[in-house]
Every structure is written in C-alpha cells, then in structure tokens.
Amino acid sequence: MTPLRNRKIVLAARPAGEPKTSDFTLIEEELSDPGEGRALLRTLYLSLDPYMRGRMSAGKSYAPPVEIGDVMVGGAVSEVLRSSVVGLSPGDIVEGRTGWQAYAIAEGSGLRKVDPALGPVSTALGVLGMPGMTAYTGLLNLGQPKPGETVVVAAASGAVGSVVGQIAKIKGCRAIGIAGGQRKCDHVVNELGFDACLDHRSPDLADRLKAACPDGIDVYFENVGGAVFDAVLPLLNPFARVPVCGLIAHYNDVAPPPGPDRLPGLMRLVLSNRLMLRGFIVGDFAEQRGEFLEAMSRWIREGRVKYREDIVEGLEKAPEAFIGLLKGENFGKLLVRVAS
C-alpha cells in the first residue's frame, strides 16, 4: 500500500498578543503504520475554539501548552481508514482530539464513535459536542435557572452562548443575549428565540442592558469579560449565579488592563449580593455526557434548539479562520472541512 502523506499545522511561535499566521506552519510528512491497538483516521471536520489561544501560550493553565513544532490541538470528526482497535472498523465515524491535521493515528481510548442518526456528523463538534455540552452542564449545574428568572448570555450567537439561551427558554426563563453586530443580534432573537439581544459594540450598552433587564439579572453566563462584564455586574441580583466559561476579550492580553485595581469593588459586590462566580471546564461533568446527548438530540428533533455552523474549506485556512474567531468574525460554530 502506498504510504499516505499527511498535512498538518504545527505551532511555529508563541504569539505575543494577537496570534499571526506566521505563528503557524503547514508541513507535510509521510505517515507511519498505525501499529497494534491504534487506528488510522482521515479528518473530515476540524473544530476551532477560543480555548486554543491559551494552549499556544506557555503559562500555567488547566491543560498543558502545545509545544513549538507540535501539531495544534483541537477536536476533530474523522473516518476510520484502518484499525486494530476493538470496536472500531473501517468506515466508522469518530470524534477525538486529534488536532489540526489531515490524518491522525490514535489509540481507541481517546476516540468516541459518532452516531450519524443523531444529526450531521459535524454536530459532534458543535451542538452535540463539546460546545453544546459546555452550555448544558454549565447552565444547569452552576446557573441553576428557575422559571421567570432573567438569564443573560455573552457571545450569544456563538456555539456555546446560542445553546445557553435556548436552554434558558426551555427552562422558562427570559433570555437576553449580547452579540457583536445587528446581524448576529437579529439571528439570536428571530431564529433562536431569545427575548432580546444587544450589540456589545454599542457605546450605551450598559443603559440598553439595564432597560432589557428591568428586574435585574439572575444568571449571567460569562464567555467574554471586558466591557460586557462591566455592564452586567451592577445588574446582578442578590444570589445571582455566574458560570465562567470563557474570557475571550482577554485572551490576547499581554499586561493587566490600565486603571485602578477593581478587584476590591468586585469582591465587595460578591459579598454584599452573595454572588456565586465559578469557573468550570466541560470535563468537570464528563459523567453527564449520556444525559446531555439524550436531551439535546431530543430538543433538536423537536425544534426547540437550533444551531448554525460556519464552515471554512481547507486545512490551510485554519490559522486565518482561528485568528478571525478571536475577533468575533465567525457566525455560529466555526469548523474547517478538511475532507468530504
């Protein structure tokens, strides 16, 4: 059998501030035989997600950084080409963290079969994958929404935020989204069913948010930080819950923001209003995967949850698309189609 040539994107340099295309390199190499207990995979879809920016840096985090010269980390949906893994056969579709590459060799322990009956296989990286499960577990376990409460969601047109708001509506809450631009806000209200959506670029965001939340905010699902959090903070009701999922406004920071130390003021509000702020990683709730898939696939079939995918064609486009993601240029779950 003619050896396969793999194309992969590796980390070429650690970015200072915003990543640049020169921080990535596309290389080709011959693939070795997968060997016993492993499978040879052909990547169909690659997921691009904000957390990858943190993995490009050497600082301490919840997961180790990508080393210079290593393939960029990322989830992918792939087709099994060859396998000596029990339970995996050629033609099976799997999801795993195989990275930014056209082919991968992986052990079975890091792979999950994708059930095409649940939806298009791309959804295993979006609404039926890590982003959807992040929304489900973060909102329900930490946000604990109750009927009649007001739930505010940052990055409301994105892969996580869009699902958070729709689950909030299913649970009987008012859902207020914050997104970048009128087009995204129109989608959030007219297609996803949020009660309102505000453009985070508006100079009067704080006033608009206050008008949209006359009874205050009971749950704020944090994806962004920055000016959005500044607008939300004064409106948090006593005993409000704030699941902290991401801080994309700060991922490219190279120094603390200018101005006075605002931590004492924040902590005073946390104390006086008995606020709950808790960061989480979706893996904290891994045991709820089956429950999540059952509920989310049912809501999709019933039309109660809708999703949007932003698909870029070609592995070589991944760096540019990822840089755009950090600037909010995507519209929906961002994917790279690597092969048909």
Side-chain angles (χ1 to χ4, degrees):
M1 185 177 293
T2 304
L4 290 171
R5 299 285 297 176
N6 192 20
R7 300 166 69 240
K8 61 184 185 179
I9 295 176
V10 302
L11 183 63
R14 299 206 183 280
E18 292 186 7
K20 308 178 294 297
T21 54
S22 58
D23 295 325
F24 307 90
T25 300
L26 176 64
I27 64 174
E28 289 194 19
E29 62 182 16
E30 188 174 298
L31 271 176
S32 58
D33 187 89
E36 286 300 312
R38 296 185 174 187
L40 173 62
L41 311 175
R42 180 171 68 110
T43 304
L44 304 178
Y45 291 95
L46 168 67
S47 177
L48 297 181
D49 300 283
Y51 78 84
M52 295 172 179
R53 175 61 184 86
R55 302 293 292 276
M56 298 176 73
S57 299
K60 184 178 180 181
S61 185
Y62 63 88
V66 177
E67 297 297 334
I68 301 296
D70 284 355
V71 65
M72 272 295 296
V73 67
V77 164
S78 305
E79 177 190 7
V80 178
L81 297 183
R82 285 181 252 163
S83 173
S84 59
V85 176
V86 175
L88 285 186
S89 304
D92 285 344
I93 305 298
V94 295
E95 182 266 326
R97 299 177 65 79
T98 52
W100 297 21
Q101 52 187 337
Y103 295 91
I105 294 171
E107 297 180 353
S109 59
L111 303 174
R112 284 190 291 265
K113 275 191 179 183
V114 173
D115 182 359
L118 296 180
V121 297
S122 58
T123 59
L125 299 172
V127 67
L128 291 174
M130 181 272 289
M133 187 168 167
T134 298
Y136 179 91
T137 57
L139 180 63
L140 298 185
N141 289 292
L142 305 183
Q144 301 179 4
K146 301 172 183 63
E149 290 190 325
T150 295
V151 177
V152 172
V153 188
S157 67
V160 175
S162 62
V163 178
V164 170
Q166 291 179 89
I167 297 176
K169 293 298 295 181
I170 289 171
K171 297 301 179 181
C173 300
R174 291 187 72 241
I176 309 299
I178 301 174
Q182 192 59 48
R183 182 165 167 252
K184 289 182 179 180
C185 284
D186 289 344
H187 171 75
V188 166
V189 173
N190 298 331
E191 297 297 324
L192 304 183
F194 284 51
D195 294 282
C197 186
L198 310 174
D199 185 351
H200 71 75
R201 299 167 184 162
S202 298
D204 57 347
L205 172 63
D207 291 336
R208 289 173 178 264
L209 185 61
K210 185 176 181 180
C213 303
D215 298 321
I217 297 170
D218 301 294
V219 181
Y220 172 53
F221 198 97
E222 175 66 289
N223 284 315
V224 173
V228 174
F229 183 71
D230 291 343
V232 166
L233 187 59
L235 303 178
L236 292 174
N237 288 328
F239 302 103
R241 290 82 68 195
V242 182
V244 180
C245 169
L247 295 167
I248 194 169
H250 302 288
Y251 287 167
N252 291 326
D253 288 354
V254 295
D261 181 3
R262 300 166 62 199
L263 181 60
L266 170 62
M267 295 307 292
R268 185 165 55 249
L269 272 177
V270 169
L271 174 61
S272 60
N273 276 8
R274 288 84 86 204
L275 305 178
M276 189 281 287
L277 284 76
R278 179 176 157 185
F280 75 101
I281 307 299
V282 66
D284 299 341
F285 305 105
E287 74 282 356
Q288 295 180 15
R289 181 174 176 78
E291 168 195 328
F292 154 71
L293 282 175
E294 189 282 325
M296 190 61 63
S297 60
R298 172 166 44 85
W299 289 336
I300 292 172
R301 289 195 305 272
E302 294 170 351
R304 303 178 79 184
V305 169
K306 300 176 182 178
Y307 63 92
R308 181 185 179 113
E309 295 177 330
D310 189 342
I311 298 177
V312 175
E313 299 286 345
L315 179 65
E316 68 281 356
K317 298 289 183 62
E320 181 181 353
F322 175 67
I323 292 168
L325 168 71
L326 297 177
K327 298 177 180 178
E329 294 176 1
N330 62 299
F331 194 167
K333 171 58 197 163
L334 183 58
L335 300 167
V336 177
R337 183 160 25 223
V338 181
S340 300

